[in-house]
DNA sequence: TACGGTAGTGGAGACCTCTCCGGATAGCAA
DNA sequence: TTGCTATCCGGAGAGGTCTCCACTACCGTA
């Protein structure tokens, strides 16, 4: 039984957080709680970590990204699709404050399963397509790939965006080796 | 002109930090300052971030790692040498509390140039050897590689150590493409 | 040896994350 | 309505990071 006031509070927190993060990425949890007219305790009961909150806020964007996989696979060869998708992912991480940290640290957190699971599933789809047509090595692991994506995002956040050459390197590593 | 008391304070901080980190990785800066008989202000003037402190503590280990490059290159083909060296690096990151965070975040910090620079130089040596004998693609970038190493280390810290397969993937990506 | 300029000190304090728990209250039963 | 209680609230507070600046003490000079 979820009490109605609890539901409203959760909604208010999400709304406040959405606004706050839109303005700046380094808003403190306290500020968000205050903005939502709620104590820090309530905030943390709903979202035990900053990551959980960020993921909840950007659930929609992440869903969209995940939903784009079938279309990409329908119009592009698997490797190209993976490249495009990953570029989009990194780009989303850059634009949405905190999303990068959340997704790349999320690998260790069971809390984020709701978001993290689907992302892994999306990557799995992309990789599997490539494995099926023989362009991607069969031992490629979705979790590994996501982890490497974290490095990409960090690279994209630096002074010079090195994410494209790095992605190129990773994709080359993913390619199946034609025996010569 | 460095005052003598300042030099001693710095030494005391390093010694206290060395002990503290040997005991546990999540020692607070305050605790270290206290242990060194010094105010937090003094600690932070000497080492502006936790990373800077960690790097200073493990300077010796890092130096050793860097020094091992010539011997590796003398006894192994470049790709193998790079593989061994990177494995050692990740292993050192795992053993020494906080070193991983320091090195992989260090990519963005000018502060860490003293340690970060030589590490890049070491990677450059390894990559260049491979470029010279044609086993490593000529556009491989040392900074990119270090960044990817960060992902390796994070992967190695997880429940299951996935760093070896991931390293394999990266090395494959680094290989020069023989034109067919 | 006494002294002044200045490099260096260190702790108070602003602000943060996260926890704990006494008190408030929504929702149900009577 | 009223009373009960599981559920939820929210703020005090422990402990952390990092800054600022009034003060201290080192060291070259006379």
């Amino acid at each position: 039984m979820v009490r109605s006031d609890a539901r409203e509070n959760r909604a208010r927190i999400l709304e406040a957080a959405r606004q706050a993060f839109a303005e700046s990425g380094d808003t403190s949890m306290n500020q968000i709680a205050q903005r939502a007219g709620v104590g820090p305790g309530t905030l943390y009961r709903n979202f035990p970590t900053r990551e959980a909150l960020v993921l909840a806020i950007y659930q929609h964007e992440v869903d969209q990204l995940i939903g784009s996989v079938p279309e990409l696979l329908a119009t592009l060869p698997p490797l190209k699709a993976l490249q495009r998708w990953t570029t989009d992912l990194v780009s989303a991480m850059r634009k949405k404050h905190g999303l990068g940290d959340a997704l790349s640290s999320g690998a260790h957190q069971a809390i984020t399963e709701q978001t993290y699971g689907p992302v892994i599933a999306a990557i799995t789809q992309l990789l599997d397509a490539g494995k099926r047509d023989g362009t991607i090595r069969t031992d490629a692991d979705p979790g590994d790939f996501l982890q490497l994506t974290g490095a990409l995002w960090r690279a994209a956040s630096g002074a010079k965006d090195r994410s494209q050459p790095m992605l190129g390197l990773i994709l080359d590593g993913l390619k199946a080796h034609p025996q010569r």
Side-chain angles (χ1 to χ4, degrees), chain A residues 1-11 42 45-46:
Chain A
M1 172 93 272
V2 179
R3 258 165 55 173
S4 63
D5 55 341
R7 206 170 343 106
E8 275 168 31
N9 267 334
R10 191 188 164 90
T42 302
R45 200 163 344 90
N46 279 279

Side-chain angles (χ1 to χ4, degrees), chain A residues 13-56:
Chain A
I13 290 173
L14 272 177
E15 186 47 36
R18 220 184 304 273
Q19 286 178 20
F21 274 100
E23 289 167 16
S24 159
D26 60 349
T27 315
S28 78
M29 296 289 112
N30 271 352
Q31 283 174 309
I32 292 172
Q34 206 167 0
R35 195 164 180 157
V38 142
T42 302
L43 207 188
Y44 278 96
R45 200 163 344 90
N46 279 279
F47 306 97
T49 64
R50 168 181 287 261
E51 275 83 48
L53 177 57
V54 170
L55 286 179

